[in-house]
Amino acid sequence: MDRDTLSLFAGIGALLALASLIGCVLKWRCRGADSPVIDNLNARINAWWVMVAVLGGAFWLGHGAVILLFAAISFFALREFITLAPTRGGDYPALVAAFYLVLPVQYLLIADDWYGLFSIFIPVYVFLLLPILASLGGDTTGFLERAAKVQWGMMIAVFCISHVPALLTLDIPGFEGRNLLLIAWLVLVVQISDVLQYVCGKLLGRRKIAPRLSPSKTVEGFAGGISLATLIGAGLFWITPFSFWQALAVALVVTLLGFFGGLVMSAIKRDRGVKDWGHMIEGHGGMLDRLDSVCFAAPIFFHLLRYGWT
Amino acid sequence: MNDTPPPPAGEDLPPPLPPPRPGVGLAQRLLARLITGFARLLTGARSLWRGCLPEAKQRIYFANHSSHADFVLLWSSLPPALRARTRPVAGADYWQRDGLRRFLIQRVFRGVLVDRERQSAERNPLQPMLDALHAGDSLILFPEGTRNLVEGGLLPFKSGLYRLARACPQVELVPVWIANLNRVMPKGRVLPLPLLCTVSFGAPLTLDAGESKDAFLARARDALLNLAAEAD
């Protein structure tokens, strides 16, 4: 890891330490009274320590480990998505292919740096293959819906998430050997936007922004979170190939995409009648609850960089 | 039968045949760990103790049955200490079909095999389960008797649960709802899909004084269906 990466992680560590301290003080001020909001806050902060440690460990181990980590994340996300998307017995061959063939192949293509194929593998080849497999089952009930659900799961949980490690494949002149910092910047800006939306919403939130999709999102949270996270992204321009103003613009784009990603994924959860995608991350819900914003931001961030900076 | 005092584990009562307790060696224990670990990794095996706690009490866990992997997941959902004293009840006809299955059910899972086809009329088909209970073990039982391949709901319960409850009133009867496992391994498929499953443990039931067989079985079935409705 180079010095920039180390100082970045040191900064995140300091921020988390501050968050843990605030969490402790808030808990102490309750004096034993039950406060689900503060308990959830502390659970979230503790989970952040773990997530940062896991990502930091993968960074330390190198590119292969980061690709493997995101393959695992895709696996957990896809498992949550397909669990909530009702499929039928006839979808079994398509689902076997999705989990055991498409997911590993997508990440192998990224490890192999084969842009020409990993960028169209799922949207073209898999898009056609999966419904063919489903049709062999001979079950026509809800066929289009079932095919669409499996394809959507592939796009969100595998294709979109795989664009985070795909950032390692970009050749940016003058930025050689520092591509891990692109991942760090993207994940940090998008996630801190989520955190700041949550904090601003809890402190100042009055007007709900999308009451039917996500009752916890407020106009104040949206405005405060997006603008602060955009400023943080711009302030971190020195770890990116961007100038200050470029970093500001790109940060605005990815935080907005992240916000709408959260909204879209909430709409799906509402429709299925659940609050969270899963339970694997204490305080946050499932893997997809934590990554919904990254899913939407990563592919656009990747292509903006590829178009404008390579 | 009703006025017999609850037997202290392993003593007393009609001289039970020495229960079949094949030695569980290190290799078998490791294999069991491997299989439960794999089941947990694949399904995320979330155990929800809604109506009782994972305590070292003698119990019959009775669950819905939609997949051959049901007992593996239920078994994996128990803490290791309870798992070591809990034995799945399985159909002899299926599990004795070949050497591998026999090895797995007898050596690895320490299953209690029952004769679903009642080949020998003189032997009580419940006897192996009673033996296991008298030896102090807990059981995993699927009162529907066979896999239910229809989405949702439960088949009518067989009477075994009632007769075990009468014979062993000290044993807690815990309803367990296994959700989603039928999608993990649909009928006739070998390769399991990784999908999240939940195993919900409900409040223990006991047989009421003078409760008829039909009333008790209906109550047990309702308890399981209520658990399913809660879990959704």
Side-chain angles (χ1 to χ4, degrees):
Chain A
M1 281 205 260
D2 63 5
R3 278 196 37 213
D4 284 350
T5 316
L6 284 177
S7 38
L8 190 66
F9 272 96
I12 296 169
L15 205 62
L16 279 177
L18 179 68
S20 289
L21 187 70
I22 294 174
C24 272
V25 170
L26 287 175
K27 178 86 193 150
W28 175 78
R29 278 194 10 194
C30 297
R31 292 182 212 284
D34 264 353
S35 167
V37 175
I38 289 172
D39 287 343
N40 177 262
L41 176 73
N42 282 316
R44 279 171 187 252
I45 295 169
N46 292 341
W48 272 121
W49 280 107
V50 176
M51 290 188 278
V52 168
V54 170
L55 193 63
F59 270 40
W60 182 69
L61 289 169
H63 286 198
V66 171
I67 293 175
L68 214 58
L69 172 66
F70 279 91
I73 289 174
S74 271
F75 172 83
F76 292 128
L78 184 64
R79 186 170 72 170
E80 287 171 1
F81 190 93
I82 300 294
T83 298
L84 277 190
T87 55
R88 292 165 60 87
D91 295 312
Y92 177 84
L95 292 175
V96 167
F99 279 105
Y100 299 126
L101 181 77
V102 177
L103 194 158
V105 167
Q106 173 73 5
Y107 282 89
L108 282 174
L109 291 173
I110 285 170
D112 192 41
D113 200 350
W114 190 351
Y115 172 78
L117 192 49
F118 82 63
S119 59
I120 59 163
F121 177 57
I122 292 175
V124 178
Y125 292 91
V126 173
F127 173 71
L128 299 173
L129 172 74
L130 293 182
I132 292 175
L133 287 176
S135 73
L136 296 179
D139 178 4
T140 58
T141 311
F143 187 85
L144 179 58
E145 283 154 53
R146 283 158 42 209
K149 277 168 190 153
V150 178
Q151 180 65 18
W152 226 81
M154 297 309 302
M155 288 299 290
I156 288 293
V158 183
F159 184 76
C160 288
I161 292 180
S162 76
H163 279 71
V164 180
L167 292 168
L168 298 174
T169 66
L170 293 174
D171 293 316
I172 301 170
F175 199 70
E176 290 83 4
R178 287 160 50 91
N179 283 26
L180 280 174
L181 285 170
L182 295 173
I183 297 183
W185 187 85
L186 171 71
V187 173
L188 182 77
V189 170
V190 173
Q191 296 292 352
I192 214 150
S193 161
D194 281 1
V195 171
L196 290 169
Q197 286 175 47
Y198 167 87
V199 171
C200 294
K202 283 272 179 280
L203 294 179
L204 316 163
R206 297 277 178 278
R207 285 160 293 168
K208 292 192 193 317
I209 198 165
R212 293 178 58 183
L213 296 187
S214 179
S216 60
K217 287 188 168 60
T218 61
V219 178
E220 293 79 3
F222 167 76
I226 300 284
S227 49
L228 288 173
T230 301
L231 285 175
I232 291 172
L236 286 170
F237 76 95
W238 48 276
I239 66 165
T240 70
F242 310 134
S243 70
F244 178 84
W245 294 107
Q246 287 170 339
L248 189 82
V250 177
L252 181 63
V253 171
V254 297
T255 49
L256 281 175
L257 278 163
F259 171 79
F260 287 111
L263 219 51
V264 170
M265 298 304 275
S266 276
I268 299 174
K269 284 187 284 185
R270 295 271 123 188
D271 179 43
R272 300 295 308 136
V274 295
K275 205 180 128 290
D276 291 322
W277 284 100
H279 305 272
M280 71 181 299
I281 310 176
E282 191 70 32
H284 296 261
M287 188 60 87
L288 270 176
D289 292 291
R290 195 57 279 136
L291 278 188
D292 48 11
S293 44
V294 174
C295 289
F296 277 64
I300 305 296
F301 179 63
F302 175 90
H303 286 289
L304 279 179
L305 269 167
R306 190 168 183 282
Y307 184 73
W309 279 267
T310 65
Chain B
M1 192 97 186
N2 266 341
D3 42 4
T4 353
E11 287 174 46
D12 220 31
L13 270 198
L17 298 169
R21 300 191 71 172
V24 182
L26 184 67
Q28 283 90 324
R29 276 213 301 273
L30 271 177
L31 191 57
R33 267 294 159 99
L34 212 68
I35 293 172
T36 52
F38 178 70
R40 299 178 64 88
L41 196 71
L42 200 71
T43 65
R46 213 164 141 248
S47 321
L48 301 177
W49 294 85
R50 293 177 183 278
C52 61
L53 291 170
E55 293 167 305
K57 289 183 179 169
Q58 198 181 15
R59 287 171 169 163
I60 296 173
Y61 300 96
F62 66 98
N64 57 315
H65 195 20
S66 59
S67 154
H68 284 307
D70 278 329
F71 81 78
V72 180
L73 186 64
L74 204 170
W75 204 55
S76 310
S77 303
L78 298 170
L82 299 195
R83 205 184 296 155
R85 294 309 306 266
T86 305
R87 305 177 59 187
V89 175
D93 48 301
Y94 177 81
W95 285 97
Q96 285 190 324
R97 226 173 279 167
D98 57 55
L100 177 68
R101 287 186 216 184
R102 256 199 305 276
F103 170 76
L104 283 175
I105 199 69
Q106 291 178 345
R107 293 307 193 90
V108 178
F109 301 123
R110 294 178 59 238
V112 176
L113 291 183
V114 290
D115 177 11
R116 284 190 292 194
E117 287 149 6
R118 285 206 78 166
Q119 271 145 356
S120 51
E122 71 277 10
R123 199 168 137 77
N124 177 1
L126 287 185
Q127 197 56 48
M129 297 186 234
L130 290 169
D131 294 341
L133 289 173
H134 292 154
D137 285 326
S138 294
L139 294 180
I140 294 171
L141 184 70
F142 300 104
E144 292 169 280
T146 184
R147 281 178 299 159
N148 176 10
L149 300 172
V150 187
E151 274 292 311
L154 287 170
L155 301 174
F157 278 11
K158 307 266 184 220
S159 63
L161 186 67
Y162 165 78
R163 287 155 65 203
L164 291 175
R166 261 188 63 165
C168 305
Q170 83 284 5
V171 177
E172 284 188 349
L173 309 173
V174 177
V176 183
W177 184 259
I178 304 173
N180 221 18
L181 195 60
N182 50 340
R183 287 179 69 203
V184 170
M185 242 169 123
K187 180 185 162 59
R189 307 289 193 177
V190 192
L191 194 63
L193 288 173
L195 297 170
L196 298 170
C197 298
T198 17
V199 180
S200 312
F201 296 82
L205 304 182
T206 42
L207 182 63
D208 291 340
E211 189 173 16
S212 76
K213 183 183 90 177
D214 291 339
F216 172 77
L217 290 178
R219 192 158 64 90
R221 196 165 169 275
D222 285 345
L224 198 48
L225 286 172
N226 286 340
L227 201 57
E230 262 179 69
D232 265 346

